[in-house]
Amino acid sequence: MRLAFWHRLSQRRLKQMAAAHLDTIFLFGDSLTQGGWQPYGFAQKLAYVYARKFDVINRGMSGYNTEWAIPVLEQVLVKKEVRDQYPKARIAIIFFGANDACIQPSPQYVPIPEFKSNLTHIIHRFTSTDSPFYSPETKIILMTPPPINTYQRGAELGARNPPQKLDREFNNTKAYADAVKEVAAAEGTVLVDIWEAVYDKAGRDEKALNKYLSDGLHFTPEGYTIVFDEIIKKISSELPELHHDNLKPVFPPWDQIDHKNPGSLKARTP
C-alpha cells in the first residue's frame, strides 16, 4: 500500500511539472553515453547549447549491451496514451555497440544479427504505430561505436588484479560499427559515424587513438568533443529545424517580458 501511494504521488508530481515543460533530447546507450555528463562530455555540451529549449535526459547504462537495454527502455519511455501529459522526446540518440562487440566468453557479447535486431527493435519502439511507446515527434539519431585502441585496452586489463585478457578486437568492433550503418540505412534514421570521425582524427592510426580514448574504450574530453561536433553537424544538415540556433526558448528573453504584467508569462513551443 505504501509503495502504491508513493507511486501515485510521484506520477501526479510529474504531471504537474510537465504542465509548462521543456521537450527533451533523450540519450540511450552504454557507458559512453552515461559518461557524457562528465566535464566536456557530449551530454553536458548538448544541455548547454539547448538550455531553455530542450532538456537533455541521459539514460546511459554503463556496461549494458542492447539485449539488456531493451527492458530498461520499456520502463523509462512514456506510453502513447498519456504522451500528451509529459514532455516529448524530440530527438533520441541511440549509442550502442561498444559492449555488444565484446568477444566471447564475455557475457556482454551479442552476435551481430541479434545486435542489429535489437537496434531495430529499439528504433521501432519510437517509430512503429503498433508500439505502446509510439512517438511520431521523435527523430532518431543512430551512433556507431568508436574504434578500440587494443594497445591501451590490453595494457589496462593486463594491469588489473588479477590480470584480464583483451575483451575487444579492433576489426570486430569495426564490424559492429558497420552493422549500425546498415540498420540506419534500412530504417531511414540519421546516422552519426563516430567510428570514422574518431579514426580520421587519429590519422587512421590505432595507437594515436590514445588522444581520444582514455583507456582504449572510453572517451577523453577531446574524444567527446568529436562526438558533440558530429551530432551537431548532423542535426544542422538533416534536422535543421531542431538545431539549437533555430529554436526559440520556451520562456521569452527577459527584455521581451511584459514588465507590468509578469504573471502573463506563458511557455511556448521552442
Side-chain angles (χ1 to χ4, degrees):
M1 291 293 293
R2 181 181 292 272
L3 286 174
F5 167 78
W6 285 112
H7 176 74
R8 290 194 300 270
L9 179 61
S10 66
Q11 292 301 304
R12 285 199 298 271
R13 287 177 174 172
L14 278 171
K15 291 178 182 179
Q16 292 166 358
M17 291 169 64
H21 65 269
L22 299 180
D23 284 345
T24 70
I25 298 173
F26 178 73
L27 311 180
F28 191 50
D30 49 38
S31 59
L32 301 179
T33 299
Q34 180 176 321
W37 277 139
Q38 72 188 47
Y40 307 103
F42 81 104
Q44 184 186 83
K45 291 183 176 184
L46 285 171
Y48 179 79
V49 298
Y50 279 94
R52 298 178 56 186
K53 298 173 182 179
F54 291 157
D55 280 338
V56 174
I57 305 297
N58 189 339
R59 292 295 178 264
M61 309 291 291
S62 179
Y64 275 51
N65 59 26
T66 50
E67 191 74 24
W68 304 333
I70 287 173
V72 172
L73 183 69
E74 298 189 350
Q75 294 177 67
V76 301
L77 290 184
V78 174
K79 290 192 173 180
K80 60 184 177 184
E81 61 264 26
V82 295
R83 194 175 70 247
D84 290 343
Q85 301 174 29
Y86 295 90
K88 296 175 177 60
R90 301 291 297 280
I91 300 172
I93 298 176
I94 300 167
F95 195 6
F96 284 100
N99 295 327
D100 299 74
C102 284
I103 54 179
Q104 293 178 299
S106 170
Q108 294 170 296
Y109 164 74
V110 175
I112 285 179
E114 292 179 26
F115 172 64
K116 292 172 66 176
S117 176
N118 290 342
L119 282 181
T120 302
H121 180 84
I122 289 169
I123 292 168
H124 286 179
R125 299 322 261 166
F126 294 94
T127 63
S128 173
T129 55
D130 294 330
S131 168
F133 311 103
Y134 175 55
S135 179
E137 305 89 354
T138 304
K139 303 298 183 183
I140 306 294
I141 296 177
L142 209 54
M143 311 263 285
T144 68
I148 295 296
N149 185 334
T150 57
Y151 301 94
Q152 279 181 294
R153 184 68 178 164
E156 194 274 331
L157 291 174
R160 293 184 183 181
N161 187 16
Q164 297 180 16
K165 294 182 179 179
L166 188 64
D167 59 354
R168 292 164 173 83
E169 295 174 349
F170 185 87
N171 289 333
N172 191 56
T173 299
K174 176 63 163 63
Y176 282 74
D178 290 340
V180 173
K181 296 179 191 179
E182 293 169 10
V183 173
E187 295 300 317
T189 67
V190 175
L191 173 72
V192 175
D193 193 346
I194 296 301
W195 173 282
E196 292 294 338
V198 173
Y199 199 35
D200 283 347
K201 284 285 188 180
R204 307 192 74 80
D205 176 1
E206 183 182 345
K207 290 184 177 180
L209 288 167
N210 61 2
K211 181 177 180 180
Y212 307 106
L213 303 172
S214 61
D215 58 359
L217 173 63
H218 299 97
F219 292 115
T220 63
E222 291 84 0
Y224 271 128
T225 295
I226 297 172
V227 175
F228 171 76
D229 288 346
E230 292 299 312
I231 290 171
I232 294 299
K233 284 180 190 175
K234 277 303 177 83
I235 292 174
S236 180
S237 64
E238 300 194 34
L239 302 171
E241 72 280 7
L242 297 177
H243 190 279
H244 55 89
D245 285 340
N246 296 329
L247 299 171
K248 293 180 180 180
V250 170
F251 290 98
W254 71 270
D255 57 356
Q256 295 178 17
I257 296 171
D258 181 352
H259 301 154
K260 294 181 180 180
N261 185 23
S264 66
L265 274 171
K266 299 293 182 183
R268 62 190 180 189
T269 302

